[in-house]
Each structure stands twice: as C-alpha cells, then as structure tokens.
Amino acid sequence: MDAVFKALADGSRRELLDRLRADNGQTLNELCAGLGGMTRQAVSKHLGVLEEANLVATIKRGREKLHYLNPVPIHEIAERWIGKFERSRLDALSALKAALEAGDA
Amino acid sequence: MDAVFKALADGSRRELLDRLRADNGQTLNELCAGLGGMTRQAVSKHLGVLEEANLVATIKRGREKLHYLNPVPIHEIAERWIGKFERSRLDALSALKAALEAGDA
DNA sequence: TTGACAGGCAACCAAATGGTTGCATATTGT
DNA sequence: ACAATATGCAACCATTTGGTTGCCTGTCAA
C-alpha cells in the first residue's frame, strides 16, 4: 500500500492516470504527447512507478506496449484507509469544535 | 490537493494520523513516544507537513500544542478523485480482460 | 536486408526529503 | 526568581526523486 500512496503523490503520475482513464490502453509515445515538455524516458519512469504500485497493467503487443489503468488499489485505499477516517468525520469535527471552545475556558 | 497526497505519501505521517484518530488532541511529546526511535524534531516536521496539508489542526494551550485530526481533505479525495476511478472499476477490469484476450488473436 | 519506429537500460545531475544536532524561546511550578 | 518542561528555528547531512542524455535492443514495413 505504501507504493500506491507514493505513486499517487506525484502530479504527473496522477495526470497519467487521468489520461489513461480517459483513453485506456495507450502506448508510451501516445502518453508522452500531451504531458508537457517531458522526455519519453521520464514518462517511462513514471509509468514504471505506477506499474510497480499495480496502478497500471501493461501488455506488450508487437513492438508497442499498451497501458491499462487498474483501479483496484485505489479502491482498496478508499475501503481500508479513507473509510476509517470518513466514518469518524463528523465526530472528529465536533470534537475539534468542542476542544477549541474549551480552550478559552 | 497536491499537498494532501504528498503528505499522505509517508508512512510515518500516516501513522501519526492513525494515532491521532485513536486519541485526538495529543501534544508533540505525546506523539513522539511510540513513534519508534525518531527525534522530536523529526516528528515536529512531519506534523508541520500534515498541518500544511490541512490534515491536522492545532491549538496552542499554554506551553503545549494540541494536535487534532482533520478528516475533511481525505474525504475530499474520496469524493473527487477516488470516486472517479471507483465508478469505472468494473468497466476497466472487463476492458483489461478483453484486451488481454484480444492480444493473443 | 535495411531503415525507421517503439521501447528499455544505465549513468549522471539537481533538487527535494527525512532525519539529525544544537541552540533559542516561552510557559509553568515551586 | 529559577529550574524544568514543551516547543520552535536553523544549519547541516544522506538518500531519494524527477529529470536528462546517450546508447542498445527488438519489431515492423518496404
């Protein structure tokens, strides 16, 4: 899970995920075009990080490599990690408010 | 939002959030104890990052500073970012499967 | 076969990051 | 007042990270 968070920490990588969601199964070169003034190798590295985090799956088709978005790890975050805080959202907020008020007393 | 993702990228910071959720309103020293072999200043920096990302709110009470978890940014991620992929989860998976099958043809 | 196209690998570099030590500041209890 | 407590600030260091350039490999088409 650590790898997923770290992969998501970079804006370019999030943008890559966005672009993959908009048009799944793109090649490296396709993904390069549009990701402003960045080398192919830079994009390749980013895709590598995403792949390592299991956020994209790839298949080699001839001389090109297609990239597919894998939403499962993100879903897992939503389930395990965010749900935990989400559930206590209102409680924490009211606790915060109460604490702030008690602070002056 | 970028700051939130970057703040969440570090395991120690996620642990700090966990510990805050378990016991909200802790001081810096309280949070230090339990976060294995790390200096107070290191923890302080982490809390600074979390604060900058609006994931923790603080109030100064006398000579100590209480830290409170703020779950709102995480909730926003769940809403805006994860929901986006979540919604297309099954679609993407079936598309991936179809693509893999078509790959051999 | 040979050239063009898609991608991989490795070395290298600058900047950011996580962590440390050392000292300064403010508050509290006696 | 004074010592102890709780935190802040700044300089410094090692590692990681995002990015580059240069070259090598594999695949398709003429």
Side-chain angles (χ1 to χ4, degrees):
Chain A
M1 188 171 83
D2 199 78
V4 179
F5 273 112
K6 267 171 79 173
L8 290 178
D10 186 89
S12 306
R13 282 189 294 259
R14 290 198 298 273
E15 193 182 334
L16 278 173
L17 292 182
D18 283 332
R19 289 159 52 80
L20 272 186
R21 196 186 81 91
D23 184 8
N24 213 3
Q26 295 183 67
T27 73
L28 172 57
N29 272 333
E30 283 170 341
L31 287 166
C32 279
L35 204 47
M38 194 181 296
T39 326
R40 176 177 57 84
Q41 286 82 349
V43 179
S44 180
K45 275 197 192 179
H46 281 306
L47 288 171
V49 174
L50 291 170
E51 208 173 335
E52 193 124 340
N54 248 303
L55 282 162
V56 311
T58 61
I59 54 176
K60 268 183 43 182
R61 159 104 75 156
R63 66 177 156 184
E64 49 192 20
K65 189 173 171 185
L66 292 315
H67 298 78
Y68 294 90
L69 170 66
N70 178 18
V72 173
I74 300 185
H75 181 249
E76 285 176 2
I77 290 182
E79 284 285 313
R80 297 188 193 166
W81 217 71
I82 294 188
K84 205 161 58 166
F85 291 105
E86 231 271 273
R87 210 172 310 124
S88 68
R89 189 169 66 106
L90 293 177
D91 300 318
L93 279 179
S94 50
L96 173 58
K97 198 178 164 196
L100 285 165
E101 287 168 355
D104 300 10
Chain B
M1 187 171 88
D2 199 77
V4 179
F5 273 110
K6 266 170 79 173
L8 291 178
D10 186 89
S12 305
R13 282 191 294 262
R14 291 198 298 272
E15 193 180 334
L16 279 173
L17 291 182
D18 283 334
R19 290 159 52 79
L20 272 185
R21 197 187 80 91
D23 185 7
N24 213 2
Q26 294 183 67
T27 73
L28 172 56
N29 271 333
E30 283 170 343
L31 287 166
C32 280
L35 205 46
M38 194 181 296
T39 326
R40 176 178 57 83
Q41 285 82 349
V43 179
S44 179
K45 274 197 191 176
H46 281 306
L47 287 171
V49 174
L50 292 170
E51 208 173 335
E52 194 125 338
N54 248 305
L55 282 163
V56 311
T58 61
I59 56 176
K60 266 183 43 183
R61 160 105 74 154
R63 67 177 154 185
E64 48 190 20
K65 189 172 171 187
L66 292 315
H67 298 78
Y68 294 89
L69 170 67
N70 178 18
V72 174
I74 299 184
H75 180 249
E76 284 176 3
I77 289 181
E79 284 286 311
R80 296 189 195 164
W81 217 71
I82 294 186
K84 203 160 60 168
F85 291 104
E86 231 273 271
R87 210 173 310 126
S88 68
R89 188 169 68 108
L90 292 177
D91 301 320
L93 279 179
S94 49
L96 172 60
K97 197 178 163 195
L100 285 165
E101 287 167 358
D104 299 9

